[in-house]
Amino acid sequence: MRRWIVVVALFLAAASSGAQSPATAADTPPPSTTAGAQSPAATPDPANPMLMEWNTPFAVPPFDRIKPEHFLPAFQEAIARHNREVDAIAKTPVPASFANTVEALDGSGELLTRVGQVFGQLSSAETNDALQAISRQTAPMLAAHQDDITLSETLFRRVRAVWDAREKLSLEPDQKTLLDRTWKRFVRGGALLDAKAKERLRAINSELAALSVKFSDNLLKETNAYRLVVDNRADLSGLPDRVTAGAADAAKNAGLEGKWLFTLHSPSLWPFLQYADNRELRRRMFTAYTTRADHGDATDNKTVLARIASLRTERAQLLGYKTYADFALDETMAKSPARVYELLDKLWPRAKKVAAREAETLQAAIRADGKDFKLEPWDWFYYTEKVRQTRYSLDEQELRPYFQVDRVREGVFHVANRLYGITITPLPNMPVYNPEVSAYEVKDADGSHLAVFYADYHPRPGKRGGAWSGGYRGTWVKDGKSIRPVVVNVCNFSRPAGDAPALLSLEETETMFHEFGHALHAMLSRVRYRGVAQVQRDFGEVPSSIMENWALEPEVLKAYAKHYQTGEVIPQALVDKVRQSKKFNQGFASTEYLAACLLDMDWHTLAAPREPDARTFEDSSMRKIGMPAEIVSRYRSPYFAHIFSGGYASGYYNYIWSEVLDADAFHAFKEKGIFDPATARSFRQNVLERGGSEDAMTLYKRFRGREPVIEPLLERRGLDAAGSSAP
């Protein structure tokens, strides 16, 4: 599992669109008093690049000309245009039809979607004080715009007329899906509420939008603020040269030459916890990481997240749902909280049992190390690495020289070519938002243009943590022409250190494969409508998770895993060690992840709106499941950005459900060959190209020939009866 943050771009599309990136999109009577509370847009500046046609290669954003001050007037103008478009649809003098209402709504708001996508991606990957200030201003403004659409009685009457006539219409499958989503978007947006309830809903949505931005900003500030400065070389004991060289470079860049600087960004944090012999410094780093936004100061998120949870509960119950989880899961494959808990409860005791055996193994390693302290969370990574080296003769540092970042990227491209026939070539001199970003053109097997792909791989202060895939343009059909996407992968991989290039860990390597799986999903999509591009939320990780499987296949390793100095292909003996160790520590990995899933569900199954003390609530949640004291949930509530600012509320289980599906799906490839053309073609046509045009389970069964089974996942993680990651 990745230690990522999935970022939800702050953009809002047309009432029936919303699938132009992996982010959550939204909808919006003609302007109401709520919208009128915003500053009226001035006459648009014709020189504002966000309001112009882009005469750039493939019409990508002209990043070199876009400045923070362009966004607010662009949002204001885009909202005004969208209001006029929606008003025209609502006041169409002829009876409502699928074409003049549902299809027209899907085509509206194109400018707003474009502005929102660019702003959302830059706010995540290249943010600054100015963009954060604009985000705080525009979040409630966009929430009000969404409400203006979904709460328009005139517009809803037209949507309802089409919905009521749906059985008499000769609609194709994707049109049925678009109509269904449009109807539900209005109903779930409050269209059936009375006037008083609608006004309360508006207030809730506005406050939630602002709180989500505040949560995210607080977390970024906390992550960037912490620094562990080491000035005694003895305190570096155990750390690989690559790690200390990177820390020396970071210190030099911070004006601390001659010292070593460690931060809470992944390439610095996790190697430190893995290798640093100094237990007290490990404790300090781990504690700093797990107490982010939990210090009772200006960036504390506890009251923010409690308010978010309460408002979500109130909104869900206002709309007729028992809890927020019932509301959120209504449009997923799971459908209900009970089914999510059923899946998690099936895995939890298995994971906990294996983790307990792993803890015994690590405690024995502590004793073998001549120590007598009790295993604590900040010891887990360190002694796991020691046991891995002892038991499997595998030091992760042995792997890094074979995973040079550029060659790993070539390996990812190689797999995509072998599976789907696509080619990916550099695009020099393309506009980019940071000099570190690379651009590529993606072509199909017949040479036709598929997409533009941006790769942004290393951490910097303006980038949020984790890894994600996003987009600057989605795909749909406009005036008979297929609009092709602009996709980006954003990661926080290890930087070059000393004289060595950027060398990735195995986890970072698998992350690159994972995120490119998301990118492939976007690049290969062939949907007709923007409103059906996005899949059901708990299916969205399948195209990415399945890509990880190819990373360690021998046939693939030969193509990319070559020593950065000698060019030697990674030795098979080393690969065998990796495979043998794969199930080791899976009890821990599964336990910390499942605990986070259960915490997410507990926050979003509140029976009534209330703002509990975050620490007390979380402690109670963990006691209820018997969380082992030596393991900390992957995400403590104050920095659980996935669910409080990242669009995964009641949905963090998505990753484990997607892993069930991907493990089962990859078996289809293994049965016939990992590059079997027929299997790859079926996966592309039934999963990657179709977006959310049909029910996800229907599409999956069309590929697999049956529903998924859980056994491949249990075997992979060593959670089956026969498997074990510890003796």
Side-chain angles (χ1 to χ4, degrees):
M1 283 291 168
R2 308 281 72 81
R3 292 186 179 94
W4 53 53
I5 292 179
V6 176
V7 178
V8 177
L10 294 173
F11 75 91
L12 290 135
S16 57
S17 67
Q20 305 315 304
S21 89
T24 300
D27 315 331
T28 34
S32 71
T33 54
T34 304
Q38 301 143 17
S39 300
T43 302
D45 179 2
N48 187 332
M50 292 307 304
L51 299 176
M52 300 167 61
E53 291 299 318
W54 295 337
N55 296 317
T56 52
F58 306 102
V60 301
F63 295 111
D64 55 330
R65 295 191 287 121
I66 297 173
K67 302 183 184 305
E69 57 266 29
H70 292 137
F71 282 110
L72 182 57
F75 271 120
Q76 292 172 326
E77 173 61 18
I79 288 174
R81 289 190 197 180
H82 195 197
N83 281 334
R84 292 194 293 270
E85 293 166 358
V86 171
D87 192 31
I89 295 168
K91 295 179 179 179
T92 300
V94 298
S97 68
F98 178 85
N100 69 23
T101 302
V102 176
E103 203 169 49
L105 278 172
D106 186 74
S108 71
E110 187 176 337
L111 176 61
L112 180 56
T113 299
R114 185 179 78 167
V115 174
Q117 285 177 309
V118 175
F119 180 75
Q121 294 301 327
L122 292 181
S123 294
S124 300
E126 193 73 3
T127 195
N128 52 45
D129 291 344
L131 290 182
Q132 290 176 34
I134 295 167
S135 184
R136 290 190 291 270
Q137 184 172 357
T138 57
M141 185 170 77
L142 292 167
H145 179 59
Q146 173 185 354
D147 289 337
D148 285 344
I149 287 182
T150 55
L151 299 178
S152 165
E153 295 182 6
T154 304
L155 185 59
F156 182 56
R157 279 196 295 270
R158 294 188 66 83
V159 172
R160 188 168 200 162
V162 181
W163 175 253
D164 290 344
R166 64 191 181 282
E167 300 299 334
K168 302 175 185 177
L169 304 176
S170 299
L171 299 179
E172 297 177 24
D174 62 337
Q175 294 176 321
K176 290 179 181 179
T177 300
L178 181 61
L179 174 57
D180 181 70
R181 289 191 174 187
T182 304
W183 167 255
K184 287 181 178 178
R185 185 168 287 109
F186 276 83
V187 173
R188 288 164 60 85
L192 295 176
L193 298 178
D194 61 31
K196 182 178 180 181
K198 286 180 178 179
E199 285 308 306
R200 178 56 190 153
L201 184 66
R202 285 181 179 275
I204 291 172
N205 289 341
S206 179
E207 187 175 355
L208 279 172
L211 288 170
S212 177
V213 173
K214 185 175 182 180
F215 184 100
S216 186
D217 287 349
N218 285 348
L219 177 55
L220 181 63
K221 289 175 183 176
E222 285 274 295
T223 302
N224 285 337
Y226 182 81
R227 304 193 309 178
L228 175 68
V229 179
V230 174
D231 54 15
N232 185 347
R233 184 175 289 276
D235 288 332
L236 303 175
S237 175
L239 292 170
D241 291 342
R242 178 194 59 81
V243 176
T244 57
D249 289 344
K252 182 178 180 180
N253 292 336
L256 299 169
E257 190 164 4
K259 300 182 181 183
W260 296 267
L261 174 62
F262 298 91
T263 72
L264 299 183
H265 294 287
S266 294
S268 180
L269 171 70
W270 300 115
F272 192 92
L273 294 176
Q274 247 178 316
Y275 295 104
D277 292 332
N278 189 316
R279 187 172 187 244
E280 171 58 20
L281 293 186
R282 293 202 312 270
R283 184 195 66 79
R284 285 164 56 183
M285 284 285 282
F286 185 85
T287 302
Y289 177 76
T290 57
T291 59
R292 286 177 297 163
D294 187 14
H295 300 293
D297 54 15
T299 54
D300 192 294
N301 269 335
K302 293 193 296 296
T303 57
V304 176
L305 69 90
R307 182 62 176 165
I308 289 173
S310 179
L311 288 170
R312 285 173 174 169
T313 303
E314 183 183 357
R315 181 173 67 179
Q317 294 180 347
L318 195 64
L319 293 169
Y321 293 87
K322 183 179 179 180
T323 69
Y324 181 81
D326 288 278
F327 168 79
L329 295 168
D330 188 39
E331 292 193 297
T332 65
M333 297 178 77
K335 299 300 182 187
S336 71
R339 291 192 65 185
V340 175
Y341 275 118
E342 180 184 0
L343 172 65
L344 300 178
D345 290 345
K346 186 181 296 184
L347 296 170
W348 176 250
R350 296 170 181 259
K352 188 178 172 183
K353 184 176 181 179
V354 176
R357 293 200 296 269
E358 293 170 350
E360 292 173 1
T361 300
L362 299 187
Q363 191 67 61
I366 292 173
R367 290 193 295 270
D369 205 20
K371 310 291 174 48
D372 62 357
F373 55 78
K374 183 180 180 297
L375 177 68
E376 297 284 359
W378 48 88
D379 300 315
W380 197 288
F381 303 94
Y382 179 77
Y383 282 98
T384 292
E385 188 60 31
K386 279 186 172 291
V387 171
R388 182 182 286 113
Q389 292 181 25
T390 300
R391 181 181 297 177
Y392 303 103
S393 299
L394 177 65
D395 181 350
E396 190 184 76
Q397 297 308 306
E398 293 181 75
L399 300 174
R400 284 186 183 267
Y402 298 96
F403 296 137
Q404 196 266 335
V405 64
D406 292 335
R407 284 182 171 159
V408 175
R409 183 175 56 224
E410 290 171 7
V412 172
F413 292 174
H414 169 79
V415 170
N417 174 259
R418 291 287 304 277
L419 286 172
Y420 308 117
I422 66 175
T423 57
I424 305 168
T425 55
L427 285 173
N429 305 317
M430 282 284 283
V432 292
Y433 57 86
N434 186 285
E436 294 184 328
V437 177
S438 302
Y440 303 85
E441 182 182 9
V442 184
K443 293 183 179 180
D444 212 339
D446 63 2
S448 61
H449 175 78
L450 274 177
V452 170
F453 172 66
Y454 286 108
D456 180 2
Y457 288 144
H458 301 297
R460 51 183 179 269
K463 182 189 288 189
R464 302 195 186 278
W468 66 91
S469 185
Y472 288 96
R473 183 171 63 237
T475 182
W476 72 99
V477 176
K478 179 181 179 181
D479 300 329
K481 178 184 177 182
S482 178
I483 305 299
R484 300 312 302 162
V486 177
V487 185
V488 61
N489 278 179
V490 186
C491 306
N492 281 275
F493 294 151
S494 301
R495 284 189 171 278
D499 296 329
L503 303 175
L504 306 187
S505 67
L506 178 58
E507 182 179 23
E508 289 174 326
T509 297
E510 291 175 331
T511 295
M512 188 186 293
F513 275 81
H514 179 101
E515 296 306 333
F516 195 74
H518 279 305
L520 279 173
H521 198 189
M523 294 187 295
L524 296 178
S525 178
R526 290 286 184 184
V527 296
R528 178 167 35 164
Y529 300 109
R530 293 186 294 173
V532 301
Q534 191 167 354
V535 299
Q536 285 164 276
R537 191 173 63 171
D538 48 2
F539 190 70
E541 293 296 318
V542 175
S544 53
S545 295
I546 197 171
M547 274 292 288
E548 294 182 46
N549 291 282
W550 277 272
L552 286 177
E553 285 293 318
E555 190 176 350
V556 178
L557 286 168
K558 291 177 183 177
Y560 82 92
K562 301 176 182 179
H563 197 285
Y564 78 98
Q565 291 174 313
T566 67
E568 172 198 13
V569 174
I570 188 170
Q572 186 59 45
L574 189 53
V575 177
D576 291 341
K577 291 179 184 180
V578 172
R579 291 188 175 279
Q580 291 164 9
S581 69
K582 262 296 189 180
K583 291 181 184 178
F584 178 68
N585 206 44
Q586 280 301 304
F588 167 83
S590 300
T591 300
E592 64 154 4
Y593 169 73
L594 291 170
C597 295
L598 289 161
L599 178 61
D600 168 30
M601 292 302 297
D602 286 352
W603 272 116
H604 293 108
T605 51
L606 292 174
R610 63 187 181 93
E611 298 177 35
D613 176 79
R615 286 183 185 172
T616 302
F617 184 92
E618 182 175 311
D619 289 346
S620 175
S621 177
M622 294 298 99
R623 282 196 305 271
K624 181 174 62 177
I625 61 175
M627 185 69 176
E630 62 273 15
I631 301 176
V632 172
S633 171
R634 175 176 298 190
Y635 294 108
R636 303 295 297 269
S637 299
Y639 63 89
F640 204 165
H642 288 77
I643 67 171
F644 291 115
S645 64
Y648 273 72
S650 305
Y652 197 59
Y653 77 93
N654 292 359
Y655 297 114
I656 200 72
W657 173 239
S658 291
E659 197 176 350
V660 170
L661 294 168
D662 105 67
D664 182 67
F666 191 63
H667 263 251
F669 283 93
K670 294 289 283 186
E671 289 163 3
K672 298 181 180 179
I674 62 169
F675 290 115
D676 176 62
T679 306
R681 182 166 56 252
S682 178
F683 191 76
R684 174 175 178 169
Q685 292 175 347
N686 291 305
V687 176
L688 300 179
E689 290 186 349
R690 300 302 301 278
S693 57
E694 292 185 66
D695 173 73
M697 185 60 79
T698 298
L699 294 174
Y700 184 84
K701 289 193 294 185
R702 197 174 293 158
F703 159 69
R704 194 66 172 103
R706 57 165 173 75
E707 291 193 354
V709 294
I710 198 172
E711 285 72 21
L713 169 67
L714 297 178
E715 192 281 329
R716 174 193 288 179
R717 284 183 166 253
L719 304 181
D720 55 329
S724 173
S725 66

